[in-house]
Amino acid sequence: MKTIILIGANGKMGQAALTGLGKHKIITAGRSADSYDFQVDITSEASLRKLYEDVGHFDAVVNTVGVCEYANFTKMTEEQWMSTILSKMMGQINIVRIGQEYIADKGSFTLITGILNTKPIPFAIADATTSGAIDTFVKCVAFEMPRGIRVNSINPTVLEEAWDVYGEMMPGFEPVPGKLVGKAFERSVDGFITGQVIFVDA
Ligand SMILES: NC(=O)c1ccc[n+]([C@@H]2O[C@H](COP(=O)([O-])OP(=O)(O)OC[C@H]3O[C@@H](n4cnc5c(N)ncnc54)[C@H](OP(=O)(O)O)[C@@H]3O)[C@@H](O)[C@H]2O)c1
């Protein structure tokens, strides 16, 4: 049994990840203080450092947080770009950058991206761009990780559980059950792969 910090556990992707992590001890973390074992803001370096120090020993971090702004490219402001970059891109890079100082030997980081960097749709340029950045990050940073630490990303299509929110934006896409995406998180945490983008598509 591993001790896993699951960031964003109450979100739709967090709930999907949980279905694949049942045999482990899960420590939940997220933005709202009363909903999680530990509060964390992934856009704050100090908050991430405090999370890792407060938790102590852990074998894996699974992150399912990456807040994105949606707008047409011609209308998207720098502020909207920066808030997406600070969360989905730098937030996740900092989870690994700071977390590698604290995680157990042979530990793993699993990050979240999403299908829109390979199958673009309108309004999603910031999500697609930062997902592509994180997919590239995991492929390349894996070569630099110390102490046998692994890093992968999960790149799923839309969840059945989120189809009511995103379905209208995504004509021609087929949603997948959270349980299937949970298997991808399980492969990342319990397998030996590293530097991999694990795609889950219908
Ligand atoms: N839903 C899908 O079908 C789908 C498919 C592919 C990829 N994705 C990607 O998965 C990620 C999560 O999507 P979701 O649908 O699960 O979103 P969601 O249901 O809105 O959940 C978002 C979670 O993020 C937490 N959060 C937000 N900002 C935070 C911060 N700064 N620090 C820490 N926690 C923070 C929220 O915490 P609180 O509970 O405290 O508010 C919540 O638990 C996104 O990057 C999305 O692009 C989603």
Side-chain angles (χ1 to χ4, degrees), residues 34-54:
D34 49 358
S35 310
Y36 298 101
D37 297 327
F38 292 89
Q39 190 177 15
V40 69
D41 175 357
I42 69 159
T43 67
S44 159
E45 176 174 348
S47 177
L48 282 168
R49 197 169 284 286
K50 181 169 181 346
L51 169 70
Y52 292 135
E53 282 176 1
D54 289 350

